[in-house]
Amino acid sequence: MIDSKPCQPVAETPILSILTVFLLITDTDMAVQPQGCGPAPYRRRRPADTPLYRVVQNHLETFLSRGRDEWWETRVPPHAERELRRFLECGILAHGFARARCDACGHDFLIAFSCKGRGVCPSCNTRRMAETAAHLADHVLPRVPVRQWVLSVPKRLRYHLQHDREALNSVLRILLDAIEQHLRGSLGASAPARTGAVAFIHRFGSALNEHTHFHVVVIDGVFEPDSAQSVRFIAAQALDADAVRAVQTQVRRRILRAFVRRGRIDAQTRKEMEAWDHGGGFSLDASVRIEAADRQGLERLLRYCARPPFAADRLEELDPQRLIYHLPKPGPDGRTQILLSPLKLIGRIAALVPPPRQHRHRYYGVLAPNSPLRPAVTALAPESVAVGSNPAAAPAAEDPPEKIWRSPARYLWVMLLARIYEAFPLICPQCGAEMRIIAFITAAVDVRAILEHIGDPYAQPAPGYEHDQRVSW
């Protein structure tokens, strides 16, 4: 419990609602699975104890100084440097926090601010993954069967997908069009019939390598416009290997022709690649299908599609200069782990940071924002987004609380923790009463006064090297 009496000069900013803090604070805290029927106990995470944080904290400046040298072969993009620096502030109390308090017993604790990054921080990556999956399962995908299509292209073309946005968009469009044509043709639907899809662009492989490929969650069927602004859903039949092979052949032919038209490869190269065996380096898989009633399975599939580039729990530190990253499955050469130095690890993570102002997932067909069929198809119809209350149904309050508008795509992190881990952060661990956020502490003077008073050793972790890390020639 924090005794606030010695800190009376500290200025605290009161807030109006508990909801606000979890819109602004996304500290991915840890939860222990419950032993019985009660909720899991809540523990604030300690990012400074993780191997990834120690590596970035101790070797980031050395890595950046090498990237600035003219003789070094790799340049660090500005957005990657920004994400790496923000990661060092995520979950650290010294950079500001919120204060939660139990009015029943007086117990309180501090919640550190998050960096809200999108590529380096495991905490914020996990929150983004869970929030995306929950939003798509709750508000976007209707209760119909869906199928996952995964496309991988030859290594000769991956470079263009990694660095050419037009080539990336073209390949994704060809894949989605081919899938829709197959569904429409196999069901004998009319030309206006459309399917819907959510496409996830993965720029990474399982071994911390650059590997651009696509995971597409497609509604397994088509919607035909009906009278009175309604639609009729036609479910797809069982998909066999011959049908997948036919779609793969069409996708391969159209992608190679598109690359020739854009000057990425020449005509002779296209003919050679079309003659390659085993699909010509193209791989298309559609074996995963989720039934309409399996909403939990759908959300697990969406989390898999929206997963971050790497998993922090697979990283193991042997010593300060050697780290092991355990692979989720054996690689082509049979390896189950890779050995990395701190600088190589930071370099691989920096290369996987997604570029700014580019969407991580995209909508297609009836799920596209401008589709006229979207209101009738999606699980969340526009008229049910905001349900107005009847003023006469309840007596008017003397001082009504301020209403905070929140997009359906934005989930409170406290709700995501309860949804995934069955942990409730705002339940007092001492008495079980509900806690509330009473203040945001952002001023450096006030932050230092409180942290020095409570003596939290994790408030501002010290680096392992106190000297200039740049190489002196």
Side-chain angles (χ1 to χ4, degrees), residues 64-127:
L64 295 177
S65 64
R66 282 189 174 187
R68 299 187 188 101
D69 292 335
E70 296 181 357
W71 54 269
W72 191 250
E73 65 274 11
T74 304
R75 293 289 181 266
V76 183
H79 68 273
E81 179 180 352
R82 181 171 61 251
E83 293 293 333
L84 288 167
R85 293 192 181 279
R86 290 171 60 188
F87 165 64
L88 294 179
E89 301 178 0
C90 186
I92 303 301
L93 294 175
H95 298 281
F97 49 83
R99 181 176 176 182
R101 184 176 181 84
C102 176
D103 295 331
C105 66
H107 173 75
D108 54 2
F109 63 87
L110 306 180
I111 306 173
F113 295 142
S114 71
C115 65
K116 301 179 180 61
R118 42 175 274 160
V120 178
C121 178
S123 168
C124 297
N125 286 340
T126 302
R127 185 248 162 83

Side-chain angles (χ1 to χ4, degrees), residues 166-235:
E166 292 183 1
L168 182 73
N169 297 338
S170 176
V171 171
L172 180 58
R173 170 64 65 175
I174 290 173
L175 171 63
L176 294 171
D177 288 346
I179 296 174
E180 185 174 57
Q181 290 177 13
H182 161 73
L183 290 174
R184 192 187 295 127
S186 62
L187 297 175
S190 59
R194 300 294 307 273
T195 187
V198 182
F200 296 85
I201 302 173
H202 286 200
R203 302 176 181 272
F204 53 88
S206 60
L208 295 178
N209 58 315
E210 297 184 62
H211 174 26
T212 302
H213 58 290
F214 306 93
H215 289 251
V216 185
V217 178
V218 183
I219 295 175
D220 205 20
V222 295
F223 290 90
E224 279 196 339
D226 204 350
S227 59
Q229 296 183 351
S230 61
V231 294
R232 181 172 62 95
F233 177 68
I234 306 176

Side-chain angles (χ1 to χ4, degrees), residues 402-440:
E402 180 183 353
K403 293 183 179 180
I404 301 176
W405 182 88
R406 179 169 57 91
S407 169
R410 296 286 305 190
Y411 279 70
L412 307 179
W413 186 228
V414 62
M415 298 304 176
L416 292 176
L417 284 175
R419 184 169 184 157
I420 301 174
Y421 301 110
E422 297 183 1
F424 300 91
L426 292 184
I427 297 299
C428 179
Q430 304 294 333
C431 65
E434 183 177 352
M435 304 183 70
R436 63 187 182 92
I437 303 296
I438 62 174
F440 288 124

Side-chain angles (χ1 to χ4, degrees), residues 357-379:
R357 295 177 294 278
Q358 291 191 24
H359 295 293
R360 301 283 297 275
H361 63 277
R362 305 178 185 181
Y363 300 100
Y364 175 82
V366 296
L367 300 181
N370 60 346
S371 172
L373 301 180
R374 181 183 172 97
V377 171
T378 54

